[in-house]
Amino acid sequence: MTREIQDNTERLRELGTAPIGRLLLKYSLPAVIGTVVSAVYNIIDSIVIGHAIDDPYVVAGMAVTFPVMNLVTALGMLVGAGAATRVSIVMGQNDRRVAEIILGNCVQLTIIFGILYIIGFSFFLDPLLRAFGASKNSLPYAREFLMWVLPGMVLMNLTFSYNNVMRASGYPAKAMYTNMIGAVLNAILAPIFLFGFHWGIRGAAIATDISMLVTATWVMSHFFNRNNTLHFTRGAFRFKWPIIRGVLYIGMAPFLINVAGSGINAIINNTLIDYGGDNAVAAVVVFNRYVTIFVFIIIGICQGMQPIIGYNYGSGRYKRLFRTFWLAAATAVTITTVGTLFGVFNPHTIASMFMQDAEQIRCAVNCLRITMISFWIVGFQIVATNFFQALGMAGKAVFLSLTRQIIFMIPLLLTLPPLMGLDGVWAAFPISDMAASITSAILLWYQIRHITREAERKRTENEKEIEHDY
């Protein structure tokens, strides 16, 4: 037991002492592998469904399920993301008991939210799907998939939310295996259920449910192990409202990101139905699945960055905090630049992976060539938003999260399509990406100046105290 305690203490101490490059690699690489594997198995689902079911409307049906799943993810992130950030900060302050209470309270809250949204969505699923752009042709596919996958979404929230807490408490490598286990299992089961058992779109949903059951069991078993840095303890499950409020305040940023994303998807899908029909809605699936690979890589980097920034902010090591951010941002921009180049110059290859219909492929190619123009800067915007979240500055993180999707995207979707037709919908994407990134850069500059001045003020006060003592 003594050896375990020493290992756990060293695991936390390195966040404030180890070289930044090596530390970011150690924490980000497992997270990147995990998130990329997760993205790949989502992509495999789309590829398998698009080729196993010979109906072009199935791709559009999957497109309108994304906003609903975003809403479910939003409720999970409201609790899970806030829990991971608070755990990192209080660990930096050496308050492990508070971290245990955060864990116990938040797991219960996640389960309660899950039960509520399953009941709510079950009663209002068809109106919700129509609001998100389902046509009479795509609605049956969307309904069937969601009715089977919704029960597994509670398990998904437990998996991904508390996988972040596992990473924040010093277990990045173990957290990586969570997504790998689920991805490999889903990649095996989905083709068997669709091609072997001929279960149709229901088979893809069941494969996802089974994968989430296994991974949720894996994550929760970690926190039942008393030898781990952070684990379930007696008394930690008693609700403490100040802790819950603090967690929900921080989690509000990713929550609003996903809610706004769902709202934007509804507007986009309905606009696409008006200007391009189901083929245009299907094209969004190709765009979303392609950029997911690169976005998930950056999310992995941010997950690795978050405990380092949270710990060093909590312990007052601001130079290490800034070095971590700039290294993460530079890496992210490099990754999204690669994604931009391949998407703009190889759109046909990408579209052909997800669909068989020639007209759908043509529409998707045009979509990628326009929407990807400014994608290279998105890496910076994502890292900047996560930087504020890691500092516990939920208000600023929420604002940056909403700039692209609400402040810029909605006005563009209302003004450009009447002037440019379907191309106006696609053009709204790169314009809003660039505008949101510029806004993030301005807010980041002001925040860095504030932290630097605060650090200088504390240093001056300490020097005066030392002079007074002598």
Side-chain angles (χ1 to χ4, degrees), residues 57-327:
Y57 294 114
V58 71
V59 182
M62 289 301 296
V64 297
T65 67
F66 298 153
V68 179
M69 296 181 73
N70 272 345
L71 286 177
V72 173
T73 302
L75 289 169
M77 295 298 288
L78 176 63
V79 182
T85 299
R86 286 297 302 152
V87 163
S88 292
I89 293 174
V90 299
M91 286 291 197
Q93 297 167 343
N94 295 316
D95 198 339
R96 192 170 302 178
R97 180 55 186 168
V98 172
E100 292 169 349
I101 295 172
I102 291 171
L103 176 66
N105 277 223
C106 290
V107 167
Q108 292 184 95
L109 208 56
T110 300
I111 295 172
I112 292 171
F113 281 174
I115 294 171
L116 292 176
Y117 67 63
I118 288 177
I119 295 172
F121 286 163
S122 296
F123 282 104
F124 301 102
L125 192 55
D126 276 18
L128 201 59
L129 288 171
R130 290 191 187 96
F132 286 139
S135 68
K136 65 178 182 179
N137 297 310
S138 62
L139 179 62
Y141 291 113
R143 181 199 304 119
E144 183 178 8
F145 180 79
L146 284 176
M147 286 301 295
W148 283 93
V149 86
L150 270 176
M153 297 301 287
V154 181
L155 300 172
M156 186 192 76
N157 284 341
L158 285 173
T159 297
F160 294 122
S161 296
Y162 299 97
N163 200 45
N164 290 338
V165 176
M166 184 193 300
R167 183 180 299 106
S169 60
Y171 295 86
K174 190 172 183 180
M176 171 186 69
Y177 295 123
T178 303
N179 290 338
M180 293 184 68
I181 292 169
V184 171
L185 189 57
N186 192 73
I188 294 171
L189 293 178
I192 292 174
F193 292 166
L194 270 81
F195 290 108
F197 296 170
H198 303 289
W199 284 356
I201 202 166
R202 152 174 71 104
I206 294 173
T208 300
D209 291 340
I210 294 173
S211 302
M212 288 300 101
L213 175 62
V214 173
T215 51
T217 302
W218 164 267
V219 171
M220 289 296 104
S221 67
H222 170 86
F223 295 109
F224 278 103
N225 187 340
R226 298 184 64 83
N227 290 328
N228 291 328
T229 306
L230 187 62
H231 54 266
F232 296 126
T233 57
R234 187 184 301 274
F237 293 95
R238 187 178 298 112
F239 277 128
K240 294 187 178 294
W241 298 113
I243 284 180
I244 291 175
R245 282 197 300 269
V247 165
L248 295 181
Y249 175 72
I250 295 174
M252 193 60 65
F255 171 75
L256 290 178
I257 292 173
N258 283 281
V259 170
S262 293
I264 287 295
N265 279 333
I267 295 172
I268 291 173
N269 288 343
N270 282 285
T271 306
L272 289 174
I273 286 290
D274 292 339
Y275 289 91
D278 282 315
N279 285 344
V281 175
V284 172
V285 176
V286 177
F287 168 76
N288 283 334
R289 288 315 195 199
Y290 175 66
V291 300
T292 291
I293 300 173
F294 303 96
V295 170
F296 271 39
I297 293 174
I298 297 166
I299 289 174
I301 293 172
C302 290
Q303 289 176 351
M305 174 189 79
Q306 184 265 330
I308 303 170
I309 285 182
Y311 185 94
N312 285 285
Y313 183 66
S315 57
R317 297 178 173 94
Y318 299 128
K319 288 184 179 180
R320 291 177 58 82
L321 181 153
F322 294 143
R323 286 202 297 271
T324 303
F325 168 77
W326 288 116
L327 181 57

